[in-house]
Amino acid sequence: MLKEHRLLIVFLLLFSTVLIWSAIHPSDRFTWWLEVIPALIGMLILFFTYRFFTFTTLVYFLVFIHSSILFIGGHYTYAEMPLFNWFKDILGLDRNYYDRLGHFAQGFIPAIIIRELLIRTSPLKNSKWLPITVVSMCLAISAVYELVEFFVAVLTGEAAEAFLGTQGDVWDTQWDMLFALIGAIISYITLCKTHSQQLMKMKK
């Protein structure tokens, strides 16, 4: 337990460091707030519920990774992330694909969080419906996020252009949801065993 507490402190320090860096002269302050608010809300929820519902170390690590993706996207905007602009130029791509990474993570990370919540709080623990439910909920989260983007665009007009990150792609919403779906499926397949092992350790 001591080792796990130390890891959580490291994750929290890294989270704070990336957040502070992200907040220093972002490309667009309005877009920055839109991108980082979900991570801040998520971190506050995890912080205030820690004493009553402690997640596995894997979940906290994944939350840090997802938050970092959001913070970096907020700092540069998803369409102008330098490393992916470099990939765009080197590979001759038609757009900056950092946005796709973000939506892949939008399925990949929540899949494990949802899996843990369902295993520990619902009758689905040993059900064959567990993976289907997890993936379906991740896809639902992606759809809700697309609706949020839609409402922000309607309310703020051109101010939300960097937040949407469509880069002229009329199918951007569909691609975003597809990548979230792929992320959720890959996450479940690749991390299921590790996650189950950590859950077993928590019971001891």
Side-chain angles (χ1 to χ4, degrees), residues 35-62:
E35 298 293 357
V36 305
I37 281 177
L40 295 178
I41 293 174
M43 182 55 67
L44 286 174
I45 292 173
L46 292 176
F47 180 81
F48 286 110
T49 60
Y50 180 77
R51 291 179 59 189
F52 312 101
F53 193 97
T54 304
F55 283 94
T56 56
T57 305
L58 177 61
V59 164
Y60 291 117
F61 172 71
L62 291 174

Side-chain angles (χ1 to χ4, degrees), residues 27-193:
S27 178
D28 181 84
R29 182 63 65 180
F30 177 67
T31 301
W32 181 84
W33 276 111
L34 292 175
E35 298 293 357
V36 305
I37 281 177
L40 295 178
I41 293 174
M43 182 55 67
L44 286 174
I45 292 173
L46 292 176
F47 180 81
F48 286 110
T49 60
Y50 180 77
R51 291 179 59 189
F52 312 101
F53 193 97
T54 304
F55 283 94
T56 56
T57 305
L58 177 61
V59 164
Y60 291 117
F61 172 71
L62 291 174
V63 168
F64 161 67
I65 294 298
H66 198 183
S67 298
S68 296
I69 291 173
L70 292 173
F71 294 159
I72 294 170
H75 183 80
Y76 293 112
T77 77
Y78 278 80
E80 296 298 335
M81 197 278 187
L83 178 60
F84 279 70
N85 270 340
W86 181 77
F87 288 149
K88 174 184 175 182
D89 295 337
I90 293 297
L91 301 176
L93 303 175
D94 59 347
R95 59 173 287 159
N96 183 308
Y97 279 94
Y98 189 71
D99 178 66
R100 298 283 189 256
L101 173 65
H103 285 278
F104 177 87
Q106 193 181 67
F108 192 92
I109 280 76
I112 300 303
I113 300 173
I114 294 169
R115 182 176 189 268
E116 183 157 332
L117 286 171
L118 292 178
I119 287 176
R120 294 173 61 183
T121 65
S122 81
L124 291 173
K125 177 180 178 181
N126 297 313
S127 172
K128 294 180 181 179
W129 287 97
L130 179 61
I132 296 174
T133 303
V134 169
V135 172
S136 296
M137 291 180 70
C138 289
L139 189 56
I141 291 171
S142 177
V144 169
Y145 192 80
E146 295 302 325
L147 289 175
V148 170
E149 288 186 343
F150 166 70
F151 287 124
V152 170
V154 170
L155 293 174
T156 64
E158 293 183 3
E161 185 174 345
F163 176 57
L164 294 176
T166 59
Q167 300 181 60
D169 186 356
V170 296
W171 302 108
D172 186 71
T173 297
Q174 289 76 13
W175 278 112
D176 289 348
M177 294 177 66
L178 175 61
F179 269 76
L181 175 61
I182 294 171
I185 294 172
I186 292 178
S187 176
Y188 204 99
I189 293 173
T190 59
L191 297 180
C192 180
K193 183 177 180 180

